[in-house]
Amino acid sequence: MQPRMWRGVVEEYREFLPFTDATPVITLREGGTPLLESRLGAPVGLRLLVKYEATNPTGSFKDRGMTVAVSKAAEARARGIICASTGNTAASAAAYAARAGLPCALIIPASGVALGKLVQGIACGATIIAVQAAFDRALDLVREAAPLLGLTLVNSVNPHRLAGQKTAAFEICDALGRAPQTLAIPVGNAGNITAYWAGFKEYRAAGRSKSLPRMVGVQAEGAAPLVQGHPVDEPRTVASAIRIGRPASWDGAMTAVRESGGTLLAATDEEILAAQDQLAREGIFVEPASAASVAGVLKMGRAHQLTGHGLKDPEVIQARANLPAPIPATLEAISERLSLG
Ligand code: AN7
């Protein structure tokens, strides 16, 4: 048998990406994530598949775009990279910068980045700067700071990020042999929904899939500028990853929804946490932002996409868990606790 190892999204989809022989490939062999069947679809008459992006190297979909952005930064001999982040972009940037041997600066909101994401940046040696502001202001700052500091900006306003993130749409089409009927996706800064839609269109144009999905963007109710049609000054939601009031790819999201005949909707924090809980009860552990897409699907009665691992945001679960007191380390005590004896 021919040995076969997943090569990462750049080598798997090189013809769709801006790579030449002169571009170094900075990769952690991201992508190749599974589509998991969820039981939650049945009650609403749907076949619900979850694109489980948590199995990426840093635990979220951001790695797909980061491999391309950091490879291009290395090709351009960048001095280093910088980003603003609600957490997952930061974790991914730190890992790929470390892979490339480049310095990395992470500008994060002082409150609101989940611990599971922050530790990755620390571990990979990034310089972390917390600012007394929310994400939107942090993004404004890095857009200004990057050229002044001679650093490459790796937020999704960098087109290479979106180029890489398109590969998730390619993988879904490859796995199904066609595009799904509907793709529901959480929306924060709106880079991912923009990238997916570009990916589906590009794959169809290349003759690799025959149809296009309906794109459903789901925001958290307290951070739903696209649903409301205007920026939100103080976005509030338990889903810290999508606590964003002024999405940079606003137009991209609106185009995806309009061209695909899709829709935008908002899920409440209660609906988001309920969806997170229901998914975890079938072994699919995701963070609240990811669960927002399922909350939207269940709300709407329709198929689908998850973006970040549940381990990223342990506080959310911890807050709801009352761990019972420790018991003696005996078989009897365990049997009793489990009511088996
Ligand atoms: C798990 O990491 O914005 O609409 O700075 O972490 O493309 O922004 C994260 C966003 C969905 C929304 N799900 O994607 C960041 C950041 C998870 C996320 C989104 C994010 P976009």
Side-chain angles (χ1 to χ4, degrees):
M1 199 180 86
Q2 194 68 16
R4 171 88 176 99
M5 192 190 282
W6 179 262
R7 295 168 296 172
V9 301
V10 171
E11 295 303 354
E12 297 290 337
Y13 296 107
R14 185 178 261 269
E15 62 193 284
F16 296 97
L17 297 170
F19 278 68
T20 69
D21 292 344
T23 320
V25 181
I26 310 297
T27 182
L28 292 163
R29 297 193 188 241
E30 56 297 308
T33 61
L35 274 180
L36 305 176
E37 198 94 39
S38 168
R39 295 177 206 139
L40 301 179
V44 285
L46 296 172
R47 180 174 183 224
L48 179 61
L49 295 172
V50 166
K51 178 71 168 159
Y52 196 59
E53 289 285 87
T55 63
N56 276 299
T58 76
S60 88
F61 72 94
K62 305 285 182 183
D63 296 341
R64 298 178 180 277
M66 209 54 75
T67 181
V68 177
V70 175
S71 294
K72 296 301 281 185
E75 180 182 15
R77 308 218 176 278
R79 288 175 46 201
I81 64 171
I82 188 170
C83 68
S85 179
T86 58
N88 278 324
T89 297
S92 185
Y96 283 82
R99 193 78 174 158
L102 285 172
C104 175
L106 309 174
I107 313 299
I108 60 165
S111 64
V113 169
L115 189 60
K117 301 170 186 177
L118 209 49
V119 290
Q120 300 182 59
I122 297 168
C124 293
T127 301
I128 303 178
I129 301 170
V131 293
Q132 292 165 335
F135 170 82
D136 300 286
R137 171 72 187 137
L139 181 58
D140 289 345
L141 280 172
V142 293
R143 291 176 91 152
E144 267 185 69
L148 297 176
L149 299 172
L151 299 173
T152 299
L153 182 61
V154 296
N155 279 104
S156 59
V157 294
N158 178 332
H160 299 312
R161 278 280 311 283
L162 299 190
Q165 282 174 209
K166 288 186 303 196
T167 59
F170 301 164
E171 285 180 19
I172 291 174
C173 294
D174 288 345
L176 299 176
R178 55 173 174 78
Q181 212 171 50
T182 302
L183 184 111
I185 183 169
V187 177
N189 215 20
N192 215 25
I193 190 171
T194 302
Y196 264 86
W197 182 237
F200 283 123
K201 287 198 295 186
E202 207 172 314
Y203 229 40
R204 190 181 64 160
R208 306 272 281 259
S209 70
K210 289 205 176 66
S211 59
L212 291 171
R214 221 161 60 95
M215 301 291 289
V216 173
V218 186
Q219 300 203 286
E221 195 166 85
L226 296 171
V227 176
Q228 291 173 10
H230 57 79
V232 172
D233 284 340
E234 287 182 27
R236 280 179 226 274
T237 168
V238 65
S240 58
I242 52 172
R243 197 180 289 148
I244 295 174
R246 207 160 16 92
S249 297
W250 186 296
D251 294 343
M254 297 315 286
T255 301
V257 168
R258 190 184 64 245
E259 288 183 354
S260 72
T263 188
L264 289 160
L265 62 137
T268 65
D269 279 3
E270 290 69 30
E271 289 167 335
I272 288 171
L273 292 177
Q276 183 191 31
D277 204 47
Q278 285 177 282
L279 285 164
R281 296 307 174 97
E282 57 174 332
I284 304 174
F285 188 30
V286 302
E287 67 176 284
S290 302
S293 51
V294 172
V297 167
L298 297 182
K299 201 163 177 163
M300 196 170 70
R302 250 148 225 277
H304 166 186
Q305 137 86 349
L306 289 181
T307 47
H309 201 287
L311 293 172
K312 296 279 196 171
D313 212 339
E315 297 92 338
V316 170
I317 294 287
Q318 244 165 34
R320 290 186 289 147
N322 289 319
L323 274 191
I327 57 172
T330 64
L331 214 50
E332 291 75 22
I334 289 173
S335 301
E336 196 181 317
R337 173 59 57 80
L338 296 174
S339 314
L340 302 174

